[in-house]
Amino acid sequence: VVLCDTSHPGNVGAAARAMKTMGLSELYLVNPRCFPHPEAEWRAARASDVLARAHSCATLDEALHGVAYAVACSARSREMAVPIASARQAAARLVEIARQQTGALVFGNEASGLNTGAVNKCQLLATIPSSPQYSSLNLAAAVQVMTYEVRLAALAPAVAARSGELAPHEQVEGFFDDLERTMVEIGFLDPAYPKRLMPRLRRLFARAELEKEEVNILRGLLKALRHPVKHQ
Amino acid sequence: VVLCDTSHPGNVGAAARAMKTMGLSELYLVNPRCFPHPEAEWRAARASDVLARAHSCATLDEALHGVAYAVACSARSREMAVPIASARQAAARLVEIARQQTGALVFGNEASGLNTGAVNKCQLLATIPSSPQYSSLNLAAAVQVMTYEVRLAALAPAVAARSGELAPHEQVEGFFDDLERTMVEIGFLDPAYPKRLMPRLRRLFARAELEKEEVNILRGLLKALRHPVKHQ
């Protein structure tokens, strides 16, 4: 990550924290104002190691030395600049290249962003989709979004795994039998006029994708309801 | 966006800015420390209108009144809570529902995050994929990533909506109250040794995403169970 002409030390610290949470550690500071600074340390929280190892550079060229693919991050689109992509597309492209060569994310000053000269030193201009009413993300927030997209692109798509074992068909059906019988017994379900009660409840529990242990709880609950033991 | 027990006013301001850049404007503050505060104003930049309109609430229940689908945002995964999804998956689900009903993103305190009780009042737990070495995003940075994903999901073409109307927060909580009371009454749940019964049942029904009419059926069923009329 390359930060150019950053004004507020707090943003440098917050950017370091954003990077570290996304597993990145190489920070380059081009011509930073007020760095090092206690505010940067404070905002970095437990990413002070990233700050301590940050490279200070006089120019963007120096920071990009050896970099094969640099992505300029800017809210402003501009004529005659490099190709433009969304943050997500840019991250995918960057990661593809960074598997073998060095890549960089380049960010500009808080007030003015990257100038056109700096953008044109990069291979791609990435924009974070934002509201037309207010498109100016905080610098560290933009670093967080871009590094988040880079991390997701770098990881194989993680699927949310569920922990519990699903209940087999016969257990679920046994539960529905219990439920229906109980409802008939207590007069909640009239077998002569069942309406759509059981189908509705089936739909609800089908959506829940009941786990084994959950079916046991529910059947235990129904059993207890039929044979209540008054609590003291 | 609901922020619970926020310690640093700067984070409230930065969260407001993050929201506005992603086109969101409704901010709820549950039990905020130091708000209003000049630091919040400064960090909000041109999102001070979001701060000015922020709703202060005493409890999470108050903030979630009328909300059909709440996503808890937390780095910590935990046992027995609601279903877990990635930030991207959660945003897609939230936007799908928010096309017709009210949805919420819920964030906890900077140091401790959301407690389990608060998470269990939500329908989904969203986690931002992060480095195992340092997974603690700054609060406002997490708001930026989640609202960014929500914006992208909202800009994507709509998928087929579900038919039924989801039950609002207070109805679902009312059902859980009825359920717990009934279970205590019949001796199925011992308040002195509740074990993990209620959290497990909450998790089951969170996954089911209860509809209004279903909550009515379930509460009617519980009522009938407490006052049975023997069927002939």
Side-chain angles (χ1 to χ4, degrees), chain B residues 4-66:
Chain B
C4 301
D5 306 307
T6 314
S7 301
H8 298 294
N11 282 330
V12 175
R17 177 173 179 179
M19 288 169 60
K20 188 168 179 182
T21 62
M22 295 296 129
L24 297 174
S25 56
E26 296 299 314
L27 176 60
Y28 287 75
L29 303 172
V30 177
N31 191 29
R33 222 176 104 189
C34 318
F35 184 83
H37 193 282
E39 176 81 4
E41 291 297 326
W42 181 68
R43 294 279 297 280
R46 287 198 285 121
S48 54
D49 55 328
V50 174
L51 281 189
R53 301 200 300 136
H55 312 260
S56 280
C57 304
T59 65
L60 178 58
D61 283 314
E62 189 185 333
L64 291 182
H65 186 86

Side-chain angles (χ1 to χ4, degrees), chain A residues 134-150:
Chain A
Y134 186 35
S135 63
S136 171
L137 274 72
N138 163 264
L139 172 61
V143 172
Q144 186 75 69
V145 170
M146 289 302 309
T147 56
Y148 162 75
E149 285 287 10
V150 165

